[in-house]
Amino acid sequence: MSAPPAGPPPLLNIANVLTGVRLVLVPVFLAALFVDHGRSVDWRLAAFGVFAVAAFTDRLDGELARRRGLVTAFGTVADPIADKALTGSALVGLSVLGLVPWWATVVIMGRELGITLLRFAVLRHGIIPASRGGKAKTLVQAFAIGFYLVPLPELLGVDTAGAWVAVWVRGILLAAALALTVVTGVDYILRAMRLRAGAPARPGVASDTPRTP
């Protein structure tokens, strides 16, 4: 394991570069998803591949930032923005294609944007660490989106048993993602209220701010 740098971490570091790469991959992902109005199996698989790579960078940049002491103010702000941009673009794109209900996209993105704003609002009072539920929520959301991106019914054959199982599995994953999204959102709000009620405002933000709420 690399030792943390003695002084403040440089702005141009591997964690921030990965965050920037994730932001750049968002329009690439959307371009692949909407080829032939989402009906191209090959391009849907390409969109899934781009999404998988971008989602992996989300996990990797946070780990590198914490382990190598590379947390910066830029990373603290840019990481959740890149995360929400990727998730939001995938959900909106899938809803435009008629694959994910719009109400599900609104619920998930409403929670993500609201909690991100709340996170920044309470930073002067203290840091709310990422919970296990929040990490599970992110993982299940990624799996659910991945299952909707891969055109499994077309690959397995429409109206086959395998296609029906695939539809059920992705529906269950979306339901689980929605449940975790709502439950962890309520938990985060309660923790933020307790933090604000019990901690005095701080003049600055600590350098160990978690990169993902």
Side-chain angles (χ1 to χ4, degrees):
M1 183 184 300
S2 301
L11 177 62
L12 186 61
N13 61 63
I14 183 61
N16 288 345
V17 168
L18 288 173
T19 299
V21 168
R22 187 158 72 259
L23 281 169
V24 170
L25 286 178
V26 170
V28 177
F29 160 75
L30 287 174
L33 180 62
F34 284 112
V35 170
D36 195 22
H37 303 287
R39 291 190 292 266
S40 170
V41 171
D42 291 339
W43 281 103
R44 283 274 295 280
L45 291 174
F48 168 77
V50 175
F51 178 83
V53 170
F56 178 71
T57 67
D58 181 33
R59 179 176 180 82
L60 185 59
D61 62 3
E63 289 291 328
L64 290 173
R66 287 187 291 271
R67 290 184 180 181
R68 299 188 180 183
L70 298 177
V71 176
T72 63
F74 171 81
T76 300
V77 174
D79 183 75
I81 291 175
D83 182 24
K84 275 52 176 181
L86 178 64
T87 302
S89 64
L91 288 170
V92 170
L94 290 169
S95 293
V96 168
L97 296 177
L99 297 171
V100 171
W102 274 107
W103 66 265
T105 295
V106 170
V107 169
I108 292 176
M109 292 315 301
R111 182 271 188 201
E112 298 299 334
L113 294 175
I115 294 301
T116 298
L117 293 175
L118 178 61
R119 175 191 178 196
F120 290 125
V122 300
L123 273 179
R124 62 194 183 99
H125 296 283
I127 298 168
I128 302 178
S131 65
R132 290 183 179 180
K135 294 176 181 178
K137 177 266 304 177
T138 301
L139 181 64
V140 175
Q141 281 182 359
F143 270 102
I145 291 171
F147 264 82
Y148 276 93
L149 288 173
V150 176
L152 289 173
E154 289 82 355
L155 291 172
L156 298 173
V158 180
D159 293 330
T160 63
W164 282 105
V165 170
V167 170
W168 273 97
V169 169
R170 71 187 189 185
I172 291 171
L173 284 171
L174 180 60
L178 283 164
L180 286 170
T181 296
V182 173
V183 170
T184 57
V186 172
D187 174 67
Y188 200 92
I189 291 171
L190 293 175
R191 288 195 292 158
M193 292 173 63
R194 288 195 294 268
L195 176 64
R196 187 168 183 175
R202 300 185 309 170
V205 178
S207 62
D208 59 345
T209 303
R211 291 170 64 94
T212 304

